[in-house]
Amino acid sequence: MNFDIQSEDGIDIIVPLVRRLDASVAVVFKQEILSFIAQGKQNILLDFSHVDFIDSSCLGALVSILKSLNDRGELALCSLNSNIQNMFKLTRMDRIFTIGQDRASTLKTMIR
């Protein structure tokens, strides 16, 4: 799976370079992010600007990733399209995850 990975002010920004995060890639997506966390990266912003669709398997992967941080860091999401935002609202996951409108504003709200 391809990612664009950048770092800004101690926050690691991961941009999945896929249009769909569904069951066909959820396991690989989760493993790659968990591997990144295992390398000591603990303040992560997932930028979904390239992603058009996620399904429940990806949502489950995101919950697992959040749990793996175990309050040692922060996971935030940004640049979700309206369909993805609605999924988070319907499942009430918008109460669990820090979700920002865009990269710049979300970085400002994260742990420094």
Side-chain angles (χ1 to χ4, degrees):
M1 183 166 191
N2 291 328
F3 296 98
D4 179 27
I5 301 173
Q6 302 170 17
S7 186
E8 189 173 324
D9 295 328
I11 309 291
D12 293 292
I13 304 159
I14 302 174
V15 183
L17 299 176
V18 295
R19 290 281 173 215
R20 297 177 60 88
L21 285 172
D22 56 22
S24 68
V25 297
V27 172
V28 173
F29 171 75
K30 176 180 155 185
Q31 289 172 339
E32 295 209 19
I33 302 299
L34 290 177
S35 172
F36 195 70
I37 292 169
Q39 296 172 25
K41 309 296 184 178
Q42 295 181 340
N43 292 315
I44 298 170
L45 173 58
L46 287 173
D47 181 338
F48 285 129
S49 57
H50 291 274
V51 179
D52 293 331
F53 174 83
I54 66 169
D55 69 3
S56 60
S57 60
C58 178
L59 194 57
L62 289 169
V63 170
S64 293
I65 292 164
L66 183 63
K67 285 183 178 183
S68 76
L69 285 171
N70 198 23
D71 293 327
R72 294 178 309 227
E74 184 174 3
L75 175 67
L77 315 173
C78 74
S79 303
L80 282 66
N81 69 27
S82 60
N83 290 332
I84 297 172
Q85 286 178 16
N86 287 336
M87 180 184 194
F88 274 85
K89 287 178 185 172
L90 288 171
T91 58
R92 297 188 180 194
M93 288 294 146
D94 60 331
R95 298 177 183 185
I96 306 298
F97 290 94
T98 300
I99 300 174
Q101 193 69 17
D102 57 34
R103 183 185 295 194
S105 64
T106 309
L107 282 170
K108 288 179 184 177
T109 65
M110 294 182 72
I111 298 170
R112 301 283 170 169

